[in-house]
Amino acid sequence: MGQKKAGIAAVVCMMSISLMLGACKSGVPADNAPKTAETGQGELKLVFWHYYNDAQKQYLDQLIKEYNETEGAKKHVVVEASSQGSIGDLTNKIDLTLNGSTNDVEMANMSLAYRDMIVGVVNKHGERLVDAGGYLSEDELSWYNQAYLEEGYIGGKLYILPLVKSTELLLMNQTRLDKFLDENPQYSIDDMSDWDGLEQMAQGYFEWTDNATPDVDGDGSPFIGLDNLANYFIAMNHAMGSDIYHYDQDGAFVADLNEDYIRRLFLNYYIPFTKGYYGASGKYRSDDIKQSVLAGYVGSSSSVLYFPDEVADRDGNMVPVEIGVYKYPVLAGSRETAIQQGAGVVVFNRSQEENQASMDFIRWLTVDRGFELASSMSYMPVDHEPMTQDQEKLIESPKVLKGIEVGLEQSSTYQMVYGFDFENSYDVRNDLNDCFSSSLKEGRAEFLGYLDQGMSMEEAAKAMEYDKKAEAFYEQVEAIFGQ
């Protein structure tokens, strides 16, 4: 992997350097340098904040225990991990600590973080964050998947190192899909590789399920649904060549909304949704799978862990099913594109020895134990190497193995993009998601209303005036982005 290991002697040497000298090297004035946290026999204690809970927290705790008993013990370093509850709780704690709103909490050495969380910190407290590029060699940085690494650069400095990642995939009730394909040989798995083929297949599935009850007209079932509409908006804009926004020379946010692109991505999903070919019912699309409302959904690769092993049949009986995992559909004429998700790790500027020790631990966690950490949480590791047979054997769940295999393959061939990173992007994402969701629900209700009036599917589609709906959606998006 070309990965260089820091020698024990070098670490011990660094730890013997005085705090004042370490502070000078790290760019922190000596009088204001944080005190080095030590525990027991001259050990250096590092605090790591995260938001993992339940099984994910247990996996992380096990690895940290291993580090403390092996590499950490050799270097006289102890890592102490602390869950802050949720992403929101963690964000608030970082904000309160950085802005001096609480005197009871000392800033951690390391923390999980997303890009949109850290952009604001960089703008207001840039000196409080460590540029990982100053601690890792080019060989060490080359080990990481470069698309994941790129997400961590802000203003030319590497503030976030990737820890675990996920993408979005098409997850199917393979048992149900096989039955449909057996009875409808005009369709194939390949039809699901792009949105046009997927829509045609969804129409065929709707008609097939409708024909299953000949005494009831128009009760066909939707084929698939999207778990995250904002991610679809982001990925498909980038697929067509739009960056959605940029920052001007003064660092001010500038929206780059392309009306033609936004109208296209809207109609691409809105039209089949209103016709009943796509759908959404429960809080999560995995719930819709379990109730057999949908045959599949586009969602996080990490959600394979929660894909149901049993689903309800028409009589309400639970029947076993297999999962099928496929790449994110491609938009015709556009580049293969998918979202990349997953928090990284930031290091808060303390003493030189603490910063170096933090980087050593992150390197150990992502490089030496990266696959174990990621796969145990149903995530993808952050290196650029294909999965080995020995690594495959470490994954006990067939569902998780499928998710990681397809996710890694997709990440190596697709354009991988990350979400919004401006300071109020969380609200923009929610507003965008809610706007899209409301449009879909209202559109489906309107379409059904036309059918209730006795219109045919074709007549109802014409009455929908889809172009006007797309225009209205674009105007709503403009308002959300403050244009």
Side-chain angles (χ1 to χ4, degrees), residues 168-443:
E168 286 195 328
L169 301 171
L170 175 59
L171 310 179
M172 299 297 300
N173 175 342
Q174 190 65 40
T175 306
R176 182 67 170 164
L177 178 61
D178 288 343
K179 181 175 176 58
F180 168 69
L181 293 176
D182 286 343
E183 298 184 18
N184 298 270
Q186 66 271 35
Y187 300 108
S188 71
I189 294 295
D190 291 340
D191 292 325
M192 300 191 304
S193 63
D194 65 79
W195 285 103
D196 290 340
L198 189 61
E199 180 180 349
Q200 294 173 15
M201 196 165 173
Q203 179 179 351
Y205 181 82
F206 179 90
E207 294 169 351
W208 177 64
T209 52
D210 186 20
N211 293 335
T213 54
D215 55 326
V216 181
D217 189 32
D219 68 336
S221 299
F223 189 51
I224 61 104
L226 287 176
D227 217 10
N228 192 307
L229 295 164
N231 281 351
Y232 166 76
F233 179 94
I234 294 167
M236 291 303 92
N237 260 293
H238 280 285
M240 290 181 282
S242 171
D243 290 330
I244 307 175
Y245 63 91
H246 72 277
Y247 297 100
D248 65 18
Q249 59 184 8
D250 297 322
F253 170 88
V254 180
D256 293 322
L257 302 177
N258 185 304
E259 182 174 0
D260 290 340
Y261 292 170
I262 292 174
R263 287 166 66 102
R264 182 186 177 191
L265 70 85
F266 173 77
L267 293 175
N268 179 67
Y269 192 71
Y270 181 81
I271 292 177
F273 190 98
T274 59
K275 292 179 178 180
Y277 305 158
Y278 300 157
S281 180
K283 184 176 182 180
Y284 302 107
R285 300 294 76 76
S286 56
D287 296 334
D288 295 338
I289 293 288
K290 192 166 189 177
Q291 298 303 319
S292 293
V293 174
L294 299 174
Y297 71 94
V298 174
S300 172
S301 58
S302 64
S303 71
V304 295
L305 190 62
Y306 308 103
F307 196 94
D309 296 317
E310 295 181 326
V311 303
D313 63 14
R314 285 184 174 271
D315 298 322
N317 301 313
M318 301 305 291
V319 296
V321 297
E322 296 291 331
I323 184 177
V325 183
Y326 303 92
K327 293 179 184 178
Y328 196 94
V330 177
L331 195 61
S334 299
R335 185 174 177 182
E336 296 173 325
T337 305
I339 201 82
Q340 64 183 42
Q341 303 178 115
V345 187
V346 295
V347 175
F348 290 100
N349 201 3
R350 305 288 289 273
S351 67
Q352 175 72 10
E353 48 266 65
E354 286 178 280
N355 294 348
Q356 183 64 61
S358 295
M359 288 295 173
D360 289 343
F361 168 70
I362 295 171
R363 190 165 46 220
W364 180 88
L365 192 61
T366 55
V367 177
D368 294 356
R369 293 294 183 270
F371 187 85
E372 290 88 336
L373 175 65
S375 61
S376 67
M377 298 181 180
S378 189
Y379 280 86
M380 299 182 297
V382 295
D383 66 329
H384 59 73
E385 299 291 340
M387 186 163 47
T388 66
Q389 290 184 344
D390 288 340
Q391 289 174 331
E392 289 180 13
K393 294 176 182 177
L394 295 175
I395 304 176
E396 297 180 0
S397 168
K399 294 190 295 186
V400 173
L401 178 58
K402 286 182 181 179
I404 294 178
E405 283 179 330
V406 180
L408 288 175
E409 183 181 355
Q410 177 169 289
S411 298
S412 67
T413 58
Y414 274 46
Q415 173 186 216
M416 303 301 293
V417 297
Y418 49 83
F420 303 145
D421 66 356
F422 43 92
E423 289 189 49
N424 66 330
S425 58
Y426 180 80
D427 293 333
V428 169
R429 278 185 63 100
N430 285 340
D431 290 346
L432 184 61
N433 206 77
D434 292 345
C435 173
F436 208 158
S437 179
S438 296
S439 296
L440 293 170
K441 291 177 182 177
E442 293 168 4

